[in-house]
Amino acid sequence: GDGSNPEVLRSSGVTNPTAIFVSYQESNEVLSATSRLRNAFENAPIYARAQTRVEAQLLKAAGASEVVIEADELSRSAMALLRGLGIKDSPETLHILVARAAGMSVKEVEDLLVWFNCMDQDGTGLLKPTQLANVVKKSNSGVLTDDEIIQMEEWILSVVKKPVDYIEFCKMYVKAPETVRQALTDGCLL
């Protein structure tokens, strides 16, 4: 049924939800559902997904407790949402969640965290595409030609369009060609 319809939820046995997350593709659907659900479930925290900051403001006005701005905030907000539901945010929990999101083993995620922190020299928690390309450029991990280095830099710059956090770095690493993976790994050893 229609999850934005409070009567459908009530008929399914949902009378006092612990939390509600509204995430439709169309912003008008998110706004409508948030408003309807806020009126029906006054005390339930409502987390809503927005595509822009303007939409986020509208959703807050409609009754959203928290708004996650799709592209910028989902990975950074995931732990806050989990904490709000009483799930502890130990490093082990974070590593498990990141591993699931990136399709990796927990050991790989832990190794990538070490490499990520090595590259994050300014401590912002974000790596710029140019930082990643520079790490590849400095690496000497069996790359034989300048053309191979240029290809790896071009791959990074074509895939990484904005600064990436740890979770996005893991996702990018999984998709990377083996030569890029090796260069990023070795780049921190130099």
Side-chain angles (χ1 to χ4, degrees):
D2 180 4
S4 69
N5 183 337
E7 291 309 312
V8 170
L9 294 176
R10 285 189 185 108
S11 70
S12 298
V14 178
T15 58
N16 188 20
T18 304
I20 299 169
F21 195 92
V22 181
S23 179
Y24 290 105
Q25 184 66 33
E26 297 297 323
S27 60
N28 60 340
E29 291 179 69
V30 176
L31 186 60
S32 174
T34 300
S35 177
R36 292 171 71 191
L37 294 168
R38 171 53 62 221
N39 287 332
F41 303 106
E42 293 178 9
N43 297 319
I46 297 178
Y47 301 99
R49 173 186 156 272
Q51 294 176 1
T52 67
R53 297 199 190 299
V54 170
E55 286 176 22
Q57 291 172 339
L58 292 171
L59 288 165
K60 287 292 255 184
S65 307
E66 295 290 331
V67 178
V68 176
I69 300 172
E70 182 180 304
D72 299 340
E73 303 297 331
L74 186 56
S75 59
R76 285 182 218 108
S77 298
M79 289 312 297
L81 294 173
L82 294 172
R83 263 185 246 116
L85 295 174
I87 299 172
K88 297 198 184 322
D89 61 339
S90 67
E92 294 80 18
T93 301
L94 177 61
H95 294 166
I96 291 167
L97 293 172
V98 172
R100 287 181 187 160
M104 309 173 78
S105 73
V106 173
K107 172 72 171 112
E108 289 172 309
V109 166
E110 290 168 349
D111 290 343
L112 283 178
L113 179 59
V114 171
W115 301 328
F116 181 89
N117 288 334
C118 168
M119 289 182 266
D120 182 24
Q121 294 179 352
D122 59 7
T124 62
L126 295 171
L127 296 175
K128 297 175 185 160
T130 52
Q131 283 176 282
L132 294 168
N134 286 336
V135 168
V136 166
K137 190 184 298 185
K138 292 176 185 173
S139 170
N140 60 1
S141 62
V143 177
L144 302 174
T145 68
D146 289 340
D147 286 342
E148 288 177 302
I149 293 172
I150 291 168
Q151 285 176 340
M152 289 190 300
E153 286 180 278
E154 287 174 349
W155 184 88
I156 286 174
L157 296 174
S158 71
V159 171
V160 182
K161 301 292 187 188
K162 62 182 181 156
V164 293
D165 62 14
Y166 169 55
I167 296 171
E168 291 302 316
F169 174 73
C170 289
K171 289 180 180 179
M172 179 273 308
Y173 186 87
V174 167
K175 296 178 196 171
E178 183 57 37
T179 53
V180 173
R181 289 184 190 190
Q182 190 63 48
L184 290 170
T185 303
D186 291 350
C188 276
L189 301 176
L190 297 175

